[in-house]
Amino acid sequence: LLSIKRKDGARALWAGTAASLFLVSNPIIQFSVYESLKALRMKAKVANRPGRGPAVSLSAAEGFLFGALAKAVATFATYPLQVAQSKLRAEGGTRKGGKSESAATLDCILEMWAEGGMKQCFAGIEAKLAQTVLTAAFVFAIYETALRNVNRVLNPKAAAAAAAAAAAGRR
């Protein structure tokens, strides 16, 4: 840290922070999409359960599917920024004209667009989707399973009533 400070100045210690903070939007988008899909599904479940009380959680399969969809949306929304950050890092974090980090990132995205449009901005997204979507899908499947089990432990009467209602519905 001290050598970076001596060589490039204290500001260099924070290089890349602004663009990285924008990437916080990825999980925000992911959870917003997931919760929206979940709310729609839970509303449909309640509508299909007249007189049997509200559904408690999604199934693991629903969590898997909605988690995968949510992560795909978030990845598409933020991928050009990730590509621009990678390009800037490969260039050593500098841009012609001594532009600020945010201006350099925007400049890089606009340059990618000018060079090849959407294809250039989303080059390599297949690998990123394979890496992140499956992970998110499993995370949300496990989350919904854990949520259902925690609800059973913390509220055994509701769990027993839900199990009885489910058994009655299968008859």
Side-chain angles (χ1 to χ4, degrees), residues 120-152:
Q120 182 73 23
C121 289
F122 290 93
I125 196 166
E126 301 88 355
K128 188 67 171 177
L129 287 170
Q131 172 196 12
T132 60
V133 169
L134 194 57
T135 300
F138 280 113
V139 165
F140 282 102
I142 293 167
Y143 167 75
E144 290 299 337
T145 301
L147 180 63
R148 193 170 38 260
N149 290 328
V150 167
N151 282 330
R152 283 185 188 135

Side-chain angles (χ1 to χ4, degrees), residues 6 8 13 15 20 32 56 60-61 65 67 86 114 135 144 147 152 159:
R6 276 191 296 267
D8 300 319
L13 295 172
S20 294
S32 296
V56 177
L65 176 64
S86 294
T135 300
E144 290 299 337
L147 180 63
R152 283 185 188 135

Side-chain angles (χ1 to χ4, degrees), residues 80-81 83-88 90-91 94-97 99 102-122:
L81 177 61
V83 173
Q85 283 185 321
S86 294
K87 284 181 176 270
L88 289 171
E91 293 174 1
T94 59
R95 277 260 143 167
K96 297 174 200 129
K99 293 184 176 184
S102 298
T105 303
L106 180 59
D107 181 52
C108 188
I109 292 171
L110 294 174
E111 187 178 285
M112 288 186 312
W113 185 264
E115 288 174 3
M118 281 186 87
K119 187 175 182 178
Q120 182 73 23
C121 289
F122 290 93

Side-chain angles (χ1 to χ4, degrees), residues 6-71:
R6 276 191 296 267
K7 182 181 171 198
D8 300 319
R11 191 171 182 198
L13 295 172
W14 302 102
T17 303
S20 294
L21 287 175
F22 180 76
L23 286 175
V24 169
S25 63
N26 184 289
I28 292 169
I29 294 167
Q30 177 185 343
F31 282 98
S32 296
V33 170
Y34 181 81
E35 287 299 324
S36 296
L37 292 170
K38 181 176 179 175
L40 288 171
R41 180 62 182 134
M42 296 303 282
K43 187 175 180 181
K45 281 186 170 190
V46 169
N48 291 331
R49 299 169 54 95
R52 291 194 281 159
V56 177
S57 63
L58 297 178
S59 69
E62 291 167 328
F64 185 92
L65 176 64
F66 294 165
L69 287 170
K71 189 59 173 183

